[in-house]
Amino acid sequence: MTVRRLPAFLLMLSVSLLLPACDGGDGGDGSSIDSERDVDPMRIGDVLEAPGELDPLPAGFVPDSARADQVEALERANWYRWQSNLPPLDMIEAINDACQAHCDYYVTHKDKYQSTGTSPHNEDPQWAEGFTGVAPWDRMGHFGYPDGAAEVIAFVHNPTGAVDGWMNTLYHRIPFMDATMVSCGYGAAGSGTWQNSSKIDTMDFGYSDAEGKKYAGMERMGIYPPPDSSGIPVSFDGMETPQPPPPPGGYPSGTIISITWSSPGGFKVVEHRLWADKDQEDIPHVWLDPGNDSNLAGGSTIAMYAHDPLEQGTKYWVSIKGERGGKAWEKTWSFHTARY
């Protein structure tokens, strides 16, 4: 597999991403989930329901050495993947070690990062204490994992909060919705207040699982919001760097809707629509694909988002038509926004 690694992406004040060209998995139909998988109502307003006709939530492989917060990050990531019928991520001890070492390194050298403007994804060999590799894949290789693919970083020191934050963006969401990303690790470190914080979360992704195998299944689509889901956030605040192109009136926009395929093939859009079930009127929105967004170039992700925040407790429909791999392709699905 040829990997094209994109520049570092930074979600301002909270998360950042380093990512290769990306792809992803299939969505299904709707039923509610149990309380162990509820979304925090303080974050998005009500329970995020998952598509129906799915297998029980798979755990993915977990090494015996994994801490509770690392398992929590894995379970949260796999919960999102489960909703799109994507295979679960395995957690790899070596990737955990790479993530944790990088978090510790960042905390040790936080002042240097801030004074020099060095990307939080990179380490500087001149800052020798704790150095394990310049780039994420270097650090994963240092700990014995050869197939490093992508990295996301947050600054909250909270596994569920970090994963939820990444999923409510465009570029940072991609590795979670890419079926070819089959393994991950998580680390966290730091403390302090918002004004003086060294908090950091790192989640790295890889192309080979706990058995050393790469994804070889059918093509899948990672769809978010998942078909027939509910409790979806109504807006995106634009806090991502590089920032997705703002709508005409600026941010906040509607929640970002995206599809990530698990294989290359190109997509030529013919029609894209978004409307509320209650009035059937088309909603103005931004459309992004590899042809008009350089941050998606070389990958297999398309996205759209309304110019303004969506309404609470409302059913919305999405319809996208075009050509993929030279063949006609279309998808229509619905989702419900959070009630409060």
Side-chain angles (χ1 to χ4, degrees), residues 4 41 46 55 77 92-93 135 162 165 187 203 213 242 261 279 283 292 312:
R4 177 180 178 274
D46 63 5
D55 294 332
I92 307 296
E93 182 175 20
M203 196 159 189
K213 298 178 181 178
W261 282 277
D279 57 25
I283 297 172
N292 69 357
Q312 296 173 338

Coordinates of all heavy atoms in Angstrom, one line a residue, residues 4 41 46 55 77 92-93 135 162 165 187 203 213 242 261 279 283 292 312:
R4 N 0.3 8.2 1.4 CA 0.6 9.6 1.2 C 0.2 10.3 2.5 O -0.9 10.4 2.9 CB -0.2 10.2 0.1 CG 0.0 11.7 -0.1 CD -0.8 12.2 -1.3 NE -0.7 13.7 -1.4 CZ -1.4 14.6 -0.8 NH1 -2.3 14.2 0.1 NH2 -1.2 15.9 -0.9
P41 N -25.0 13.3 27.8 CA -26.0 14.3 27.4 C -25.5 15.7 27.6 O -26.1 16.6 27.0 CB -27.2 14.0 28.3 CG -26.5 13.2 29.4 CD -25.4 12.5 28.9
D46 N -28.7 14.3 23.9 CA -29.5 13.0 24.2 C -28.7 11.8 23.7 O -27.6 11.9 23.3 CB -30.9 13.1 23.6 CG -30.9 13.1 22.1 OD1 -29.9 13.0 21.5 OD2 -32.0 13.2 21.5
D55 N -24.2 -6.4 14.4 CA -23.7 -7.3 15.4 C -23.5 -6.6 16.7 O -23.4 -5.4 16.7 CB -22.4 -7.9 14.9 CG -22.5 -8.8 13.7 OD1 -23.6 -9.4 13.5 OD2 -21.6 -8.9 12.9
A77 N -13.9 4.7 20.3 CA -13.6 4.6 18.9 C -14.3 3.5 18.2 O -14.9 3.7 17.1 CB -12.1 4.5 18.6
I92 N -2.9 -2.1 20.2 CA -1.5 -2.7 20.1 C -0.7 -2.1 21.2 O -0.6 -0.9 21.3 CB -0.9 -2.4 18.7 CG1 -1.8 -2.9 17.6 CG2 0.5 -3.1 18.6 CD1 -2.1 -4.3 17.6
E93 N 0.0 -2.9 21.9 CA 0.8 -2.5 23.1 C 1.9 -1.5 22.6 O 2.1 -0.4 23.2 CB 1.5 -3.6 23.8 CG 2.3 -3.2 25.0 CD 2.8 -4.4 25.8 OE1 2.9 -5.6 25.2 OE2 3.2 -4.3 26.9
A135 N 8.6 11.8 13.8 CA 7.2 11.7 13.3 C 6.5 10.5 14.0 O 7.1 9.6 14.6 CB 7.1 11.5 11.8
A162 N -11.8 13.3 24.2 CA -11.0 13.4 23.0 C -11.6 12.8 21.8 O -11.6 13.4 20.7 CB -9.6 12.8 23.3
G165 N -14.5 14.7 20.5 CA -14.1 15.9 19.9 C -13.5 15.6 18.5 O -13.9 16.4 17.5
G187 N -2.5 7.4 24.4 CA -1.8 7.9 25.6 C -2.3 9.2 26.1 O -2.9 9.9 25.3
M203 N -3.6 9.7 19.9 CA -4.1 8.4 19.4 C -3.5 8.2 18.1 O -3.6 9.0 17.2 CB -5.6 8.4 19.3 CG -6.3 7.1 19.2 SD -8.0 7.1 19.7 CE -8.4 5.3 19.6
K213 N -2.1 -8.7 10.4 CA -2.8 -8.7 9.1 C -3.3 -7.3 8.8 O -3.7 -6.5 9.7 CB -4.0 -9.7 9.2 CG -3.6 -11.1 9.5 CD -4.8 -12.0 9.6 CE -4.4 -13.4 9.9 NZ -5.6 -14.3 10.1
P242 N -5.8 22.7 9.6 CA -6.4 23.7 8.8 C -8.0 23.7 9.0 O -8.6 22.7 9.0 CB -6.0 23.4 7.4 CG -5.7 22.0 7.4 CD -5.2 21.7 8.8
W261 N -14.4 6.2 2.0 CA -14.3 4.9 1.4 C -13.0 4.2 1.9 O -12.0 4.9 2.2 CB -14.4 5.0 -0.1 CG -15.8 5.2 -0.6 CD1 -16.7 4.2 -0.9 CD2 -16.3 6.4 -1.1 NE1 -17.8 4.8 -1.4 CE2 -17.6 6.1 -1.6 CE3 -15.9 7.7 -1.1 CZ2 -18.5 7.1 -2.1 CZ3 -16.7 8.7 -1.6 CH2 -18.0 8.4 -2.1
D279 N -40.1 19.9 6.1 CA -40.5 20.8 5.1 C -40.0 20.5 3.7 O -40.4 21.1 2.7 CB -40.1 22.3 5.4 CG -38.6 22.4 5.7 OD1 -37.8 21.6 5.2 OD2 -38.2 23.4 6.4
I283 N -31.4 22.7 1.9 CA -30.7 23.6 2.8 C -29.4 23.9 2.2 O -28.6 23.0 1.8 CB -30.5 22.8 4.1 CG1 -31.8 22.6 4.8 CG2 -29.6 23.7 5.1 CD1 -31.7 21.7 6.0
N292 N -11.8 19.8 -4.7 CA -11.9 21.2 -4.3 C -11.4 21.5 -3.0 O -11.4 22.7 -2.5 CB -13.4 21.7 -4.5 CG -14.3 21.2 -3.4 OD1 -13.9 20.3 -2.6 ND2 -15.6 21.6 -3.5
Q312 N -32.5 21.6 16.6 CA -32.5 20.5 17.5 C -33.7 19.6 17.3 O -34.8 20.1 16.9 CB -32.5 21.1 19.0 CG -31.3 21.9 19.3 CD -31.4 22.6 20.6 OE1 -32.5 22.9 21.1 NE2 -30.3 23.0 21.2

